[in-house]
Amino acid sequence: MADSHTGGLLVGHRSRAGIDAAIRGARGVPDLAYEMAMTRISCTSVTAMS
């Protein structure tokens, strides 16, 4: 399923829309490291919001 998001935190949008996962592109090792860090932050935020 494709969904559009315009504004606010992605984690909040995922929660409101009932989306379990968001896939973003990674172009290389530095991007992958950044995306993994963002995933950890998002998972922590979702747990704190619950």
Side-chain angles (χ1 to χ4, degrees):
M1 172 177 99
D3 194 11
S4 177
H5 169 62
T6 57
L9 294 176
L10 179 59
V11 67
H13 174 69
R14 283 181 43 209
S15 295
R16 288 187 302 277
I19 298 171
D20 294 326
I23 300 172
R24 295 178 44 171
R27 293 178 297 273
V29 174
D31 284 348
L32 181 59
Y34 173 80
E35 292 298 334
M36 293 300 289
M38 294 304 291
T39 298
R40 283 191 295 277
I41 292 168
S42 294
C43 289
T44 302
S45 297
V46 168
T47 302
M49 293 172 77
S50 299

